[in-house]
Coordinates of all heavy atoms in Angstrom, one line a residue:
A278 N 0.8 -1.2 0.0 CA 0.0 0.0 0.0 C 0.9 1.3 0.0 O 0.4 2.3 -0.4 CB -1.0 0.0 1.2
T279 N 2.0 1.2 0.5 CA 2.9 2.4 0.6 C 3.4 2.9 -0.8 O 3.8 4.0 -1.0 CB 4.2 2.2 1.5 OG1 4.9 1.0 0.9 CG2 3.8 1.8 2.9
Q280 N 3.1 2.0 -1.9 CA 3.6 2.4 -3.1 C 2.5 3.3 -3.8 O 2.8 3.9 -4.8 CB 3.8 1.2 -4.1 CG 2.5 0.5 -4.5 CD 2.6 -1.0 -4.4 OE1 3.2 -1.5 -3.6 NE2 1.8 -1.6 -5.4
Y281 N 1.4 3.5 -3.2 CA 0.3 4.4 -3.7 C 0.3 5.8 -3.0 O 0.0 5.7 -1.8 CB -1.0 3.7 -3.7 CG -1.1 2.4 -4.5 CD1 -1.1 1.1 -3.8 CD2 -1.0 2.4 -5.9 CE1 -1.1 0.0 -4.5 CE2 -1.0 1.2 -6.5 CZ -1.1 0.0 -5.9 OH -1.1 -1.2 -6.6
Y282 N 0.5 6.8 -3.8 CA 0.5 8.1 -3.2 C -0.8 8.4 -2.3 O -0.7 8.9 -1.3 CB 0.6 9.2 -4.4 CG 0.5 10.5 -3.8 CD1 1.7 11.1 -3.4 CD2 -0.6 11.3 -3.9 CE1 1.7 12.4 -2.8 CE2 -0.6 12.6 -3.5 CZ 0.5 13.2 -2.9 OH 0.5 14.5 -2.5
Y283 N -1.9 8.0 -2.8 CA -3.2 8.2 -2.0 C -3.2 7.5 -0.7 O -4.0 8.0 0.1 CB -4.4 7.8 -2.9 CG -4.8 8.7 -4.1 CD1 -5.5 8.3 -5.2 CD2 -4.3 9.9 -4.1 CE1 -5.8 9.0 -6.2 CE2 -4.7 10.8 -5.2 CZ -5.4 10.4 -6.3 OH -5.7 11.1 -7.3
L284 N -2.4 6.4 -0.5 CA -2.5 5.6 0.6 C -1.4 5.9 1.6 O -1.4 5.4 2.7 CB -2.5 4.1 0.2 CG -3.8 3.7 -0.4 CD1 -3.7 2.2 -0.8 CD2 -5.1 4.1 0.1
N285 N -0.5 6.8 1.3 CA 0.6 7.0 2.1 C 0.8 8.4 2.6 O 1.9 8.9 2.9 CB 2.0 6.4 1.5 CG 2.4 7.2 0.3 OD1 2.0 8.3 0.1 ND2 3.2 6.6 -0.5
Q286 N -0.2 9.2 2.7 CA -0.2 10.6 3.0 C -0.2 11.0 4.4 O 0.2 12.1 4.8 CB -1.3 11.4 2.3 CG -1.1 11.5 0.6 CD 0.3 11.8 0.3 OE1 0.7 13.0 0.5 NE2 1.1 10.9 -0.1
S287 N -0.6 10.1 5.2 CA -0.7 10.4 6.7 C 0.6 9.9 7.4 O 1.0 8.8 7.1 CB -1.9 9.6 7.4 OG -1.9 9.9 8.7
K288 N 1.2 10.7 8.3 CA 2.3 10.4 9.0 C 1.9 9.5 10.2 O 2.7 8.7 10.7 CB 3.0 11.6 9.4 CG 3.7 12.3 8.2 CD 4.4 13.5 8.6 CE 5.0 14.2 7.4 NZ 5.3 15.6 7.6
K289 N 0.7 9.7 10.6 CA 0.2 8.9 11.8 C -0.5 7.6 11.4 O -0.4 6.6 12.2 CB -0.8 9.8 12.6 CG -0.1 10.9 13.2 CD -1.0 11.7 14.0 CE -0.2 13.0 14.7 NZ -1.3 13.8 15.4
A290 N -1.1 7.5 10.3 CA -1.8 6.3 9.9 C -1.0 5.3 9.4 O 0.1 5.5 8.9 CB -2.9 6.8 8.8
S291 N -1.4 4.1 9.5 CA -0.7 2.9 9.0 C -1.7 2.0 8.1 O -2.8 2.1 8.4 CB -0.2 2.1 10.2 OG 0.4 0.9 9.6
T292 N -1.2 1.3 7.2 CA -2.0 0.4 6.4 C -2.3 -0.9 7.2 O -3.2 -1.7 6.8 CB -1.4 0.2 5.1 OG1 -0.2 -0.5 5.3 CG2 -1.4 1.3 4.3
E293 N -1.6 -1.1 8.3 CA -1.8 -2.2 9.2 C -2.5 -1.8 10.4 O -2.2 -0.8 11.0 CB -0.4 -2.8 9.6 CG 0.3 -3.4 8.4 CD 1.6 -4.0 8.7 OE1 1.8 -4.5 9.8 OE2 2.5 -4.1 7.9
I294 N -3.5 -2.6 10.7 CA -4.3 -2.3 11.9 C -4.2 -3.5 12.9 O -4.4 -4.6 12.5 CB -5.7 -2.1 11.6 CG1 -6.0 -1.1 10.6 CG2 -6.7 -1.9 12.8 CD1 -7.4 -1.0 10.0
P295 N -3.7 -3.2 14.1 CA -3.5 -4.3 15.2 C -4.8 -5.2 15.3 O -6.0 -4.6 15.2 CB -3.3 -3.6 16.3 CG -2.8 -2.2 16.0 CD -3.5 -1.9 14.7
N296 N -4.6 -6.4 15.3 CA -5.7 -7.5 15.5 C -6.7 -7.5 14.4 O -7.8 -7.9 14.6 CB -6.5 -7.1 16.8 CG -5.4 -7.2 18.0 OD1 -4.7 -8.0 18.2 ND2 -5.6 -6.2 18.9
V297 N -6.3 -7.1 13.2 CA -7.3 -7.2 12.0 C -6.6 -8.0 11.0 O -5.4 -7.8 10.6 CB -7.6 -5.8 11.4 CG1 -8.3 -6.0 10.1 CG2 -8.4 -5.0 12.4
D298 N -7.2 -9.1 10.6 CA -6.7 -10.1 9.6 C -7.2 -9.6 8.3 O -8.4 -9.8 8.0 CB -7.1 -11.4 10.0 CG -6.5 -12.6 9.1 OD1 -6.1 -12.3 8.0 OD2 -6.4 -13.7 9.6
D299 N -6.3 -9.2 7.4 CA -6.7 -8.8 6.1 C -7.3 -9.8 5.2 O -8.3 -9.6 4.5 CB -5.5 -8.2 5.3 CG -5.0 -6.8 5.8 OD1 -5.8 -6.1 6.5 OD2 -3.9 -6.5 5.6
A300 N -6.9 -11.0 5.4 CA -7.5 -12.2 4.8 C -8.9 -12.4 5.2 O -9.9 -12.7 4.3 CB -6.8 -13.5 4.9
D301 N -9.2 -12.3 6.4 CA -10.5 -12.5 6.9 C -11.4 -11.3 6.4 O -12.6 -11.5 6.0 CB -10.7 -12.5 8.4 CG -10.2 -13.8 9.1 OD1 -10.1 -14.8 8.3 OD2 -9.9 -13.8 10.3
E302 N -10.9 -10.1 6.4 CA -11.6 -8.9 5.9 C -11.9 -9.1 4.5 O -13.0 -8.6 4.1 CB -10.9 -7.7 6.1 CG -10.7 -7.2 7.6 CD -12.0 -7.1 8.3 OE1 -12.9 -6.4 7.7 OE2 -12.3 -7.5 9.4
W303 N -11.0 -9.6 3.7 CA -11.3 -9.9 2.3 C -12.4 -10.9 2.1 O -13.3 -10.7 1.2 CB -10.0 -10.4 1.5 CG -10.2 -10.6 0.1 CD1 -10.1 -11.8 -0.5 CD2 -10.4 -9.6 -0.9 NE1 -10.3 -11.6 -1.9 CE2 -10.5 -10.3 -2.1 CE3 -10.6 -8.2 -0.9 CZ2 -10.9 -9.6 -3.3 CZ3 -10.9 -7.6 -2.0 CH2 -11.0 -8.3 -3.2
K304 N -12.5 -11.9 2.9 CA -13.5 -12.9 2.8 C -14.8 -12.2 3.1 O -15.8 -12.5 2.4 CB -13.3 -14.0 3.8 CG -12.1 -15.1 3.3 CD -11.9 -16.0 4.3 CE -10.6 -16.8 4.0 NZ -10.3 -17.8 5.0
S305 N -14.8 -11.4 4.0 CA -16.1 -10.7 4.5 C -16.5 -9.7 3.3 O -17.7 -9.6 3.1 CB -15.9 -9.8 5.7 OG -15.7 -10.6 6.8
T306 N -15.6 -9.1 2.7 CA -15.9 -8.2 1.5 C -16.4 -9.1 0.4 O -17.5 -8.7 -0.2 CB -14.6 -7.5 1.0 OG1 -14.2 -6.7 2.0 CG2 -14.9 -6.7 -0.3
Q307 N -15.9 -10.3 0.2 CA -16.4 -11.1 -0.9 C -17.9 -11.6 -0.5 O -18.7 -11.7 -1.4 CB -15.5 -12.3 -1.2 CG -14.2 -11.9 -1.7 CD -14.2 -11.2 -3.0 OE1 -14.9 -11.6 -4.0 NE2 -13.6 -10.1 -3.1
M308 N -18.1 -11.8 0.8 CA -19.5 -12.4 1.2 C -20.4 -11.1 1.0 O -21.6 -11.4 0.6 CB -19.4 -12.7 2.6 CG -18.7 -14.1 2.6 SD -18.4 -14.8 4.4 CE -19.8 -14.2 5.3
A309 N -20.0 -9.9 1.2 CA -20.9 -8.8 1.1 C -21.2 -8.6 -0.4 O -22.4 -8.3 -0.7 CB -20.2 -7.5 1.6
F310 N -20.3 -8.8 -1.3 CA -20.5 -8.8 -2.7 C -21.6 -9.8 -3.1 O -22.5 -9.6 -3.8 CB -19.3 -9.1 -3.6 CG -18.4 -8.0 -3.8 CD1 -17.0 -8.2 -3.7 CD2 -18.8 -6.7 -4.0 CE1 -16.1 -7.1 -3.9 CE2 -18.0 -5.7 -4.1 CZ -16.6 -5.8 -4.2
D311 N -21.6 -11.0 -2.5 CA -22.6 -12.1 -2.7 C -23.9 -11.6 -2.2 O -24.9 -11.8 -2.9 CB -22.1 -13.3 -1.9 CG -21.0 -14.1 -2.6 OD1 -20.7 -13.9 -3.8 OD2 -20.3 -14.8 -1.8
V312 N -24.0 -11.0 -1.0 CA -25.2 -10.5 -0.4 C -26.0 -9.6 -1.4 O -27.3 -9.7 -1.6 CB -25.0 -10.0 1.0 CG1 -26.3 -9.2 1.5 CG2 -24.6 -11.0 1.9
V313 N -25.2 -8.7 -2.0 CA -25.9 -7.8 -2.9 C -25.8 -8.2 -4.5 O -26.0 -7.3 -5.3 CB -25.3 -6.3 -2.7 CG1 -25.6 -5.7 -1.4 CG2 -23.8 -6.3 -2.9
N314 N -25.6 -9.5 -4.6 CA -25.6 -10.0 -6.0 C -24.6 -9.4 -7.0 O -25.0 -9.2 -8.1 CB -27.0 -10.0 -6.6 CG -27.9 -10.9 -5.7 OD1 -27.6 -12.0 -5.3 ND2 -29.1 -10.4 -5.5
I315 N -23.4 -9.1 -6.6 CA -22.4 -8.6 -7.5 C -21.6 -9.8 -7.9 O -21.0 -10.5 -7.1 CB -21.5 -7.5 -6.8 CG1 -22.3 -6.4 -6.4 CG2 -20.3 -7.2 -7.6 CD1 -21.6 -5.3 -5.7
D316 N -21.7 -10.2 -9.2 CA -21.0 -11.3 -9.8 C -19.6 -11.1 -10.0 O -19.0 -10.0 -9.8 CB -21.7 -11.8 -11.0 CG -21.6 -10.8 -12.2 OD1 -20.6 -10.1 -12.3 OD2 -22.5 -10.8 -13.0
K317 N -18.8 -12.3 -10.4 CA -17.5 -12.2 -10.6 C -16.9 -11.2 -11.5 O -16.0 -10.4 -11.1 CB -16.9 -13.5 -11.0 CG -15.4 -13.6 -11.0 CD -14.9 -15.0 -11.4 CE -13.5 -15.0 -11.5 NZ -12.8 -16.2 -12.0
S318 N -17.6 -11.0 -12.6 CA -17.2 -10.0 -13.6 C -17.4 -8.6 -13.0 O -16.5 -7.8 -13.2 CB -18.1 -10.2 -14.8 OG -17.9 -9.2 -15.8
Q319 N -18.4 -8.3 -12.3 CA -18.6 -7.0 -11.7 C -17.6 -6.7 -10.6 O -17.1 -5.6 -10.5 CB -20.0 -6.8 -11.1 CG -21.2 -6.8 -12.2 CD -22.4 -7.0 -11.7 OE1 -22.8 -7.8 -10.8 NE2 -23.5 -6.1 -12.1
R320 N -17.2 -7.7 -9.8 CA -16.2 -7.6 -8.8 C -14.9 -7.3 -9.5 O -14.1 -6.4 -9.0 CB -16.0 -8.9 -8.1 CG -17.2 -9.3 -7.2 CD -17.0 -10.6 -6.6 NE -18.3 -11.1 -6.2 CZ -18.5 -12.1 -5.3 NH1 -17.5 -12.6 -4.7 NH2 -19.7 -12.4 -5.0
E321 N -14.5 -7.8 -10.6 CA -13.3 -7.5 -11.2 C -13.3 -6.1 -11.9 O -12.3 -5.4 -11.7 CB -13.1 -8.6 -12.5 CG -12.8 -9.9 -11.9 CD -12.8 -10.9 -13.0 OE1 -13.0 -10.6 -14.2 OE2 -12.5 -12.1 -12.7
D322 N -14.5 -5.7 -12.3 CA -14.6 -4.3 -12.7 C -14.4 -3.3 -11.6 O -13.7 -2.3 -11.7 CB -16.0 -4.0 -13.3 CG -16.2 -4.7 -14.7 OD1 -15.2 -5.1 -15.3 OD2 -17.4 -4.8 -15.0
V323 N -14.9 -3.6 -10.4 CA -14.8 -2.9 -9.2 C -13.3 -2.7 -8.8 O -12.7 -1.7 -8.6 CB -15.6 -3.3 -8.0 CG1 -15.1 -2.6 -6.7 CG2 -17.0 -3.1 -8.3
M324 N -12.5 -3.8 -8.9 CA -11.1 -3.8 -8.5 C -10.3 -3.1 -9.5 O -9.3 -2.5 -9.2 CB -10.6 -5.4 -8.4 CG -11.3 -6.1 -7.2 SD -11.1 -5.2 -5.6 CE -12.7 -5.5 -4.8
M325 N -10.7 -3.3 -10.8 CA -9.9 -2.6 -11.9 C -10.1 -1.1 -11.7 O -9.1 -0.3 -11.9 CB -10.4 -3.0 -13.2 CG -9.8 -4.4 -13.7 SD -8.1 -4.6 -13.7 CE -7.9 -3.8 -15.4
I326 N -11.3 -0.6 -11.5 CA -11.5 0.8 -11.2 C -10.7 1.3 -9.9 O -10.1 2.4 -10.1 CB -13.0 1.2 -11.1 CG1 -13.7 0.8 -12.4 CG2 -13.3 2.6 -10.5 CD1 -15.2 0.8 -12.3
L327 N -10.8 0.6 -8.9 CA -10.1 0.9 -7.6 C -8.6 1.0 -8.0 O -7.8 2.0 -7.7 CB -10.2 0.0 -6.6 CG -9.5 0.2 -5.3 CD1 -9.8 1.6 -4.7 CD2 -9.9 -0.9 -4.3
A328 N -8.1 0.0 -8.7 CA -6.5 0.0 -9.0 C -6.3 1.2 -10.0 O -5.3 1.9 -9.8 CB -6.3 -1.3 -9.8
G329 N -7.2 1.6 -10.8 CA -7.0 2.7 -11.7 C -6.9 4.0 -11.0 O -6.1 4.8 -11.2
I330 N -7.7 4.1 -10.0 CA -7.8 5.4 -9.2 C -6.5 5.5 -8.3 O -5.9 6.5 -8.3 CB -9.1 5.4 -8.3 CG1 -10.4 5.6 -9.1 CG2 -8.9 6.4 -7.2 CD1 -11.6 5.4 -8.4
L331 N -6.1 4.3 -7.8 CA -4.8 4.5 -7.1 C -3.7 4.8 -8.0 O -2.7 5.5 -7.6 CB -4.6 3.0 -6.4 CG -5.4 2.6 -5.2 CD1 -5.3 1.2 -4.8 CD2 -5.3 3.7 -4.1
H332 N -3.6 4.3 -9.2 CA -2.6 4.6 -10.1 C -2.7 6.1 -10.6 O -1.7 6.7 -10.9 CB -2.5 3.6 -11.2 CG -1.8 2.3 -10.8 ND1 -2.6 1.2 -10.5 CD2 -0.5 2.0 -10.6 CE1 -1.7 0.2 -10.1 NE2 -0.5 0.8 -10.2
L333 N -3.8 6.5 -10.6 CA -4.1 8.0 -11.0 C -3.3 8.8 -10.0 O -2.7 9.8 -10.4 CB -5.5 8.4 -11.0 CG -6.4 8.1 -12.3 CD1 -7.8 8.5 -12.0 CD2 -5.8 8.9 -13.5
G334 N -3.4 8.5 -8.8 CA -2.7 9.2 -7.8 C -1.2 9.2 -7.9 O -0.5 10.0 -7.3
N335 N -0.6 8.2 -8.6 CA 0.8 8.1 -8.8 C 1.3 8.9 -10.0 O 2.5 9.0 -10.3 CB 1.3 6.7 -8.9 CG 1.2 6.0 -7.5 OD1 1.0 6.6 -6.5 ND2 1.4 4.7 -7.5
I336 N 0.4 9.5 -10.8 CA 0.7 10.2 -12.0 C 1.4 11.6 -11.5 O 0.8 12.3 -10.7 CB -0.4 10.4 -12.9 CG1 -0.8 9.1 -13.5 CG2 -0.1 11.4 -14.0 CD1 -2.1 9.2 -14.3
R337 N 2.5 11.8 -12.1 CA 3.3 13.1 -11.8 C 3.2 14.1 -12.9 O 3.1 13.7 -14.1 CB 4.7 12.8 -11.4 CG 4.8 12.0 -10.2 CD 4.5 12.7 -8.9 NE 4.4 11.7 -7.8 CZ 3.2 11.4 -7.2 NH1 2.0 12.0 -7.6 NH2 3.1 10.5 -6.3
F338 N 3.2 15.3 -12.7 CA 3.2 16.4 -13.7 C 4.3 17.2 -13.7 O 5.0 17.5 -12.6 CB 1.9 17.2 -13.6 CG 0.7 16.4 -13.6 CD1 0.1 15.8 -12.5 CD2 0.1 16.1 -14.8 CE1 -1.1 15.0 -12.5 CE2 -1.1 15.4 -14.9 CZ -1.6 14.8 -13.8
E339 N 4.7 17.8 -14.8 CA 5.7 18.8 -15.0 C 5.3 19.9 -15.8 O 4.3 19.8 -16.5 CB 7.1 18.2 -15.4 CG 6.9 17.7 -16.9 CD 8.2 16.9 -17.3 OE1 8.7 16.1 -16.5 OE2 8.5 17.1 -18.5
K340 N 6.0 21.0 -15.7 CA 5.7 22.2 -16.5 C 5.7 21.9 -18.0 O 6.5 21.2 -18.5 CB 6.6 23.4 -16.2 CG 6.2 24.7 -16.7 CD 7.1 25.7 -16.2 CE 6.8 27.0 -16.8 NZ 6.1 28.0 -16.1
G341 N 4.7 22.4 -18.7 CA 4.6 22.3 -20.1 C 5.6 23.2 -20.8 O 6.6 23.6 -20.4
R342 N 5.1 23.5 -22.1 CA 6.0 24.4 -22.9 C 6.2 25.7 -22.2 O 5.3 26.3 -21.6 CB 5.3 24.6 -24.2 CG 5.3 23.3 -25.0 CD 4.6 23.5 -26.4 NE 3.8 22.3 -26.6 CZ 2.6 22.4 -27.0 NH1 2.0 23.5 -27.6 NH2 1.9 21.2 -27.1
E343 N 7.5 26.2 -22.5 CA 7.7 27.5 -21.9 C 6.9 28.6 -22.5 O 6.6 28.6 -23.7 CB 9.2 27.9 -22.2 CG 9.7 29.0 -21.3 CD 11.3 29.1 -21.4 OE1 11.9 28.1 -21.4 OE2 11.7 30.3 -21.4
G344 N 6.5 29.6 -21.6 CA 5.6 30.6 -22.2 C 4.1 30.3 -22.2 O 3.4 31.1 -22.5
E345 N 3.8 29.0 -21.8 CA 2.4 28.7 -21.9 C 2.0 28.2 -20.4 O 2.8 27.7 -19.7 CB 2.1 27.5 -22.8 CG 2.4 27.9 -24.2 CD 2.0 26.8 -25.2 OE1 1.3 25.7 -24.7 OE2 2.4 26.7 -26.4
D346 N 0.8 28.5 -20.1 CA 0.3 28.0 -18.8 C -0.3 26.5 -19.0 O -1.4 26.3 -19.4 CB -0.8 28.8 -18.4 CG -1.5 28.5 -17.0 OD1 -0.7 27.8 -16.3 OD2 -2.6 28.7 -16.7
S347 N 0.7 25.6 -19.0 CA 0.3 24.1 -19.3 C 1.2 23.2 -18.4 O 2.2 23.6 -17.8 CB 0.6 23.9 -20.7 OG 2.0 24.0 -21.1
S348 N 0.7 21.9 -18.5 CA 1.5 20.9 -17.8 C 1.5 19.6 -18.7 O 0.7 19.6 -19.6 CB 0.8 20.6 -16.4 OG -0.3 20.1 -16.6
K349 N 2.4 18.7 -18.3 CA 2.4 17.4 -19.0 C 2.7 16.4 -18.0 O 3.4 16.6 -16.9 CB 3.4 17.5 -20.2 CG 4.8 17.6 -19.9 CD 5.6 17.5 -21.1 CE 7.1 17.6 -20.7 NZ 8.0 17.4 -21.9
V350 N 2.4 15.1 -18.3 CA 2.7 14.0 -17.5 C 4.1 13.7 -17.6 O 4.7 13.6 -18.6 CB 1.8 12.8 -17.9 CG1 2.2 11.5 -17.2 CG2 0.3 13.0 -17.7
S351 N 4.7 13.5 -16.4 CA 6.2 13.2 -16.4 C 6.5 11.7 -16.3 O 7.6 11.4 -16.5 CB 6.9 14.0 -15.3 OG 6.4 13.6 -14.0
N352 N 5.6 11.0 -16.0 CA 5.8 9.5 -15.8 C 4.8 8.7 -16.6 O 3.8 8.3 -16.1 CB 5.9 9.0 -14.4 CG 4.6 9.3 -13.7 OD1 3.8 10.1 -13.9 ND2 4.4 8.7 -12.4
E353 N 5.0 8.6 -17.9 CA 4.2 8.0 -18.9 C 3.7 6.5 -18.4 O 2.6 6.1 -18.8 CB 4.7 7.9 -20.2 CG 5.0 9.3 -20.8 CD 3.7 10.0 -21.4 OE1 2.8 9.2 -21.8 OE2 3.6 11.2 -21.4
D354 N 4.6 5.8 -17.7 CA 4.3 4.4 -17.4 C 3.0 4.4 -16.4 O 2.1 3.6 -16.5 CB 5.5 3.8 -16.7 CG 6.0 4.5 -15.5 OD1 5.9 5.7 -15.5 OD2 6.6 3.8 -14.6
M355 N 3.0 5.3 -15.6 CA 1.7 5.4 -14.6 C 0.6 5.8 -15.4 O -0.6 5.2 -15.2 CB 2.0 6.4 -13.5 CG 2.9 5.8 -12.3 SD 2.1 4.4 -11.6 CE 3.5 3.3 -11.4
L356 N 0.7 6.7 -16.4 CA -0.4 7.1 -17.1 C -1.0 5.9 -18.0 O -2.2 5.7 -18.0 CB 0.0 8.2 -18.1 CG -1.0 8.8 -19.1 CD1 -2.0 9.6 -18.4 CD2 -0.4 9.4 -20.2
E357 N -0.1 5.2 -18.5 CA -0.5 4.0 -19.3 C -1.2 2.9 -18.4 O -2.2 2.4 -18.8 CB 0.7 3.4 -20.0 CG 1.3 4.2 -21.2 CD 2.4 3.7 -21.9 OE1 2.7 2.5 -21.7 OE2 3.2 4.5 -22.5
L358 N -0.6 2.8 -17.3 CA -1.2 1.7 -16.3 C -2.6 2.1 -15.8 O -3.5 1.3 -15.9 CB -0.3 1.5 -15.1 CG -0.6 0.4 -14.2 CD1 -0.8 -0.9 -14.9 CD2 0.5 0.3 -13.1
A359 N -2.7 3.4 -15.4 CA -4.1 3.9 -15.0 C -5.0 3.8 -16.1 O -6.1 3.3 -16.0 CB -3.9 5.3 -14.5
G360 N -4.6 4.3 -17.3 CA -5.5 4.2 -18.5 C -6.0 2.8 -18.8 O -7.2 2.5 -19.2
E361 N -5.0 1.8 -18.8 CA -5.3 0.4 -19.1 C -6.4 -0.1 -18.1 O -7.4 -0.7 -18.4 CB -4.1 -0.4 -19.0 CG -4.3 -1.9 -19.2 CD -3.1 -2.7 -19.1 OE1 -2.0 -2.2 -19.6 OE2 -3.2 -3.8 -18.6
Q362 N -6.2 0.2 -16.8 CA -7.1 -0.3 -15.8 C -8.5 0.3 -15.8 O -9.4 -0.2 -15.4 CB -6.4 0.0 -14.3 CG -5.3 -1.0 -14.3 CD -4.4 -0.7 -13.1 OE1 -4.3 0.4 -12.6 NE2 -3.8 -1.7 -12.5
L363 N -8.6 1.6 -16.4 CA -9.8 2.4 -16.5 C -10.5 2.3 -17.8 O -11.5 2.7 -18.1 CB -9.6 3.9 -16.1 CG -9.1 4.1 -14.6 CD1 -8.7 5.5 -14.5 CD2 -10.3 3.8 -13.6
G364 N -9.7 1.5 -18.7 CA -10.3 1.4 -20.1 C -10.2 2.7 -20.9 O -11.1 2.9 -21.8
I365 N -9.2 3.5 -20.6 CA -9.0 4.8 -21.3 C -7.7 4.9 -22.0 O -6.7 4.4 -21.5 CB -9.1 6.0 -20.3 CG1 -10.4 6.0 -19.5 CG2 -9.0 7.3 -21.0 CD1 -10.4 6.8 -18.3
K366 N -7.7 5.2 -23.3 CA -6.4 5.3 -24.0 C -5.5 6.4 -23.3 O -6.0 7.4 -22.9 CB -6.7 5.7 -25.4 CG -7.3 4.7 -26.2 CD -7.6 5.1 -27.6 CE -8.3 3.9 -28.4 NZ -8.5 4.3 -29.8
P367 N -4.2 6.1 -23.2 CA -3.3 7.0 -22.4 C -3.5 8.4 -23.0 O -3.4 9.4 -22.2 CB -1.9 6.4 -22.7 CG -2.2 4.9 -22.9 CD -3.6 4.8 -23.7
D368 N -3.4 8.6 -24.3 CA -3.5 10.0 -24.9 C -4.7 10.8 -24.4 O -4.7 11.9 -24.1 CB -3.5 10.0 -26.5 CG -2.1 9.5 -27.0 OD1 -1.1 9.5 -26.2 OD2 -2.0 9.1 -28.2
A369 N -5.8 10.0 -24.4 CA -7.2 10.7 -24.0 C -7.0 11.0 -22.4 O -7.5 12.1 -22.1 CB -8.3 9.7 -24.3
L370 N -6.5 10.1 -21.6 CA -6.3 10.3 -20.2 C -5.4 11.5 -20.1 O -5.8 12.4 -19.2 CB -5.9 9.0 -19.5 CG -5.7 9.2 -18.0 CD1 -7.0 9.6 -17.4 CD2 -5.2 7.9 -17.4
A371 N -4.3 11.6 -20.7 CA -3.4 12.7 -20.6 C -4.0 14.0 -20.9 O -3.8 15.0 -20.2 CB -2.2 12.4 -21.4
Q372 N -4.8 14.0 -22.0 CA -5.5 15.2 -22.4 C -6.6 15.7 -21.3 O -6.6 16.8 -20.9 CB -6.3 15.1 -23.6 CG -6.8 16.4 -24.1 CD -7.1 16.4 -25.6 OE1 -6.6 15.6 -26.4 NE2 -7.9 17.4 -26.0
A373 N -7.3 14.7 -20.7 CA -8.2 15.0 -19.7 C -7.6 15.5 -18.5 O -8.2 16.4 -17.8 CB -9.1 13.8 -19.4
L374 N -6.4 15.1 -18.2 CA -5.7 15.5 -16.9 C -4.9 16.8 -17.1 O -4.7 17.5 -16.1 CB -4.7 14.4 -16.5 CG -5.4 13.1 -16.0 CD1 -4.3 12.0 -15.7 CD2 -6.2 13.3 -14.8
T375 N -4.6 17.2 -18.3 CA -3.8 18.4 -18.5 C -4.3 19.5 -19.2 O -3.8 20.6 -19.3 CB -2.4 17.9 -19.2 OG1 -2.8 17.4 -20.5 CG2 -1.7 16.9 -18.5
K376 N -5.5 19.3 -19.8 CA -6.2 20.4 -20.5 C -7.4 20.9 -19.7 O -8.0 20.3 -19.0 CB -6.7 20.0 -21.9 CG -5.6 19.3 -22.7 CD -4.6 20.3 -23.2 CE -3.6 19.5 -24.2 NZ -2.3 19.8 -23.9
R377 N -7.6 22.3 -20.0 CA -8.7 22.9 -19.3 C -10.1 22.6 -20.0 O -10.2 22.4 -21.2 CB -8.6 24.4 -19.2 CG -7.5 24.7 -18.2 CD -7.4 26.1 -18.2 NE -6.1 26.5 -17.6 CZ -6.0 27.5 -16.7 NH1 -7.0 28.3 -16.4 NH2 -4.8 27.8 -16.2

């Protein structure tokens, strides 16, 4: 979890909670999906969207062309990964993130 910018912003918080078993919590989450009739395909979609959002947080920006009020993505690999997980072409995602 520390590799994701969105999850490592608190100096006091930890991704580990004493006396909480992540495997048991995952089983409970899967059971909750069952209760509300979310099938395997929909669960995979939810996980891909969540992964895409986490990778969006890892995208970095740098100043664009000199003399213009613009920016550009400085780590294309994260852009491509987030786009793949969200089903968005990297160029379209970059434009959505850097254009007004």
Side-chain angles (χ1 to χ4, degrees):
T279 58
Q280 73 220 35
Y281 299 108
Y282 178 80
Y283 288 157
L284 299 180
N285 67 20
Q286 293 308 293
S287 176
K288 292 178 181 162
K289 293 181 181 181
S291 171
T292 57
E293 294 181 29
I294 302 170
N296 303 318
V297 173
D298 183 337
D299 289 338
D301 286 341
E302 293 297 317
W303 180 248
K304 288 177 190 173
S305 294
T306 300
Q307 295 301 310
M308 287 174 36
F310 281 141
D311 288 337
V312 168
V313 294
N314 295 317
I315 296 177
D316 66 30
K317 183 178 179 183
S318 173
Q319 292 169 317
R320 292 174 199 197
E321 289 172 0
D322 290 344
V323 168
M324 294 304 138
M325 288 295 281
I326 291 167
L327 178 57
I330 291 168
L331 289 172
H332 284 99
L333 277 175
N335 287 351
I336 294 173
R337 300 288 168 249
F338 300 91
E339 61 187 41
K340 189 174 174 100
R342 290 180 225 139
E343 192 167 324
E345 293 183 18
D346 184 19
S347 66
S348 63
K349 65 179 187 174
V350 173
S351 62
N352 56 347
E353 296 282 329
D354 57 330
M355 281 297 135
L356 179 75
E357 290 177 19
L358 188 54
E361 179 181 322
Q362 292 167 332
L363 295 169
I365 303 169
K366 292 181 181 181
D368 290 342
L370 182 56
Q372 184 161 348
L374 293 173
T375 59
K376 306 292 184 224
R377 291 182 195 218

